[in-house]
Amino acid sequence: MNAPDPSAAGDPLLHGPRDPEHDPRASYALEPEYVAALTSRLLATSGEGRAVESPLAGQPLAHLPLSSTADVDEAFRRARRAQEAWARTSYAERAAALHRLHDLVLDRQDEIMDLIVWESGKARKHAFDEPLHVALTARYYSRTLARHLEPSRVRGAIPVLTRVDLSRVPKGVVGVIAPWNYPFTMALCDGIAALAAGNAVVSKPDSQTMLTALLGAQLLEEAGFPRDLWQVVHGPGSETGPAIVERADYVCFTGSTRTGRDVARRCAERLIGCSLELGGKNPILVLRDADLERAAEGAVRASFSNAGQLCVAMERMYVADQVYDRFVERFVARTEAMTIGATTGWDNDMGSLISAAQLETVVSHVDDAVAKGARVLTGGRARPDLGPYMYEPTILEGVTPEMTCFGDETFGPVIALYRFGDEADAVARANAGSYGLNAAVYSRDVRRARDVASRIRCGTVNVNEAFAATFASIDAPMGGMRESGLGRRQGAEGLLRFTETQSVATQRVMRFGPMLGMSDESYARMMTVSLRVLDKLGRA
């Protein structure tokens, strides 16, 4: 792997004694006034706090105040009050605010990317995906919310005499529990749709990437959304998360399957809805007629974007026997040509893992596989010389079921390769296990590839692309099957989940019961005749 020159301008990895003049770990990476302006948006009065550091070089970023249960109560009180007024705004007003957000995000993308990189350690090229996705989401709902939400008419029980109008009523206050891996887009994309539908939001971003989420809240206010409409609280997931679930009218959670089960259980007890994007062990299938250069390029992005810390990233690849050796040669060469490092510039193809805990998981998975007989084709090492949590992009061969990384999600820059001879067998192996989030199929025969894709039990499947085709197509619903989650974000489903359908029926002339002295028996005969007539007319 190639590493950028650590002496390059703007590189935070400096050498020397531990003092502010020579070691960035001795001073804050961001201007204190800038951080204070962001953290002032937190509703947190407990008097306690948590220090956070950058994964780039362990440099301090902020001291984040913690929210109490009383703060969560207050956040919901403010949000409910703001939501009552917001629900009465016109679709045009909401659309205008969303479009202003679109423009602001594009205008401020450098500031957003800076903060993402400092907090998450990801490569800047991968940080760019986030303002891009949020801008796409804001623009999509600004253009389509009226079409999705406008009242509509459906057929009534009796032609002409029964009129039924359907309307969409906002849920109220939506709780959003967001992860650290995509701190800007995951903090905002669900909530943007909730606002478009007329709701308010109480958000709990992950502590490791709180500043990026707070910048998102600031941009929402600058775009014209009422300040109280979007509340942000901060605290341990085991405490603040349940407090949100106990108060929200709907919950969006992105994270582990284990925690998702708990969220679903709590929501079920309260009879409220939830959408959950959970774990994945995502497969790529490279068929015998695939364009191998294109497949190898896609495999690099699929496996190593954001150092593999992406819910839709690939961790297992099934390659046809006929092309296996030629594909592996290309994939390994492209991987070894990657530039990796922990800097804020554009010079990295892959950045850092976010934390010591994430690094420990990756190391343990690879070491376990190697100890049990797997072969490392490239990578397989931590790189503390480049950053405290850096790990090389790693390709494994010979991974077997007794190895932890065979079925467990690694969530790091590690992928295992497998041969297959029969496509039906490849599909069966892709469907093995309990996850079903994302998959990819590479083939020059697009019709056959789509047929293979239709047999893979994943919520999104990309043909001749790794993940971006579905991820960036905001009109297409996105979510998991099986243990990878419930519900969908994006598209009409991503908006309508935040509403209740209300049916209003208006009856004219006759009522549903005997009239003019008619007996119940006569009424039943009349209705029977009516049903037969309507059936003859082809009425549903």
Side-chain angles (χ1 to χ4, degrees), residues 336-488:
E336 291 181 343
M338 292 174 66
T339 297
I340 64 173
T343 68
T344 59
W346 289 97
D347 45 358
N348 298 318
D349 294 315
M350 193 189 86
S352 175
L353 294 164
I354 193 169
S355 65
Q358 207 62 31
L359 176 62
E360 182 181 353
T361 297
V362 173
V363 169
S364 67
H365 278 208
V366 174
D367 288 353
D368 170 77
V370 170
K372 293 173 180 174
R375 296 173 297 284
V376 177
L377 300 185
T378 190
R381 296 183 301 158
R383 292 294 300 275
D385 55 313
L386 299 178
Y389 313 129
M390 291 293 302
Y391 196 89
E392 292 178 337
T394 299
I395 303 172
L396 300 177
E397 195 177 52
V399 172
T400 55
E402 65 270 16
M403 300 173 188
T404 304
C405 70
F406 179 85
D408 289 3
E409 186 177 26
T410 303
F411 217 62
V414 180
I415 189 164
L417 302 184
Y418 306 88
R419 292 177 180 266
F420 73 85
D422 178 76
E423 285 180 8
D425 175 59
V427 170
R429 291 160 74 184
N431 286 333
S434 57
Y435 292 122
L437 188 56
N438 183 48
V441 180
Y442 280 83
S443 170
R444 285 189 172 92
D445 185 340
V446 174
R447 179 178 294 180
R448 184 163 116 261
R450 284 201 294 262
D451 176 68
V452 170
S454 70
R455 290 182 275 140
I456 297 175
R457 295 282 294 160
C458 288
T460 56
V461 186
N462 297 265
V463 173
N464 293 329
E465 169 50 38
F467 62 85
T470 51
F471 195 78
S473 299
I474 308 299
D475 201 31
M478 181 182 177
M481 297 182 181
R482 298 182 288 171
E483 291 190 10
S484 287
L486 299 172
R488 295 292 183 267

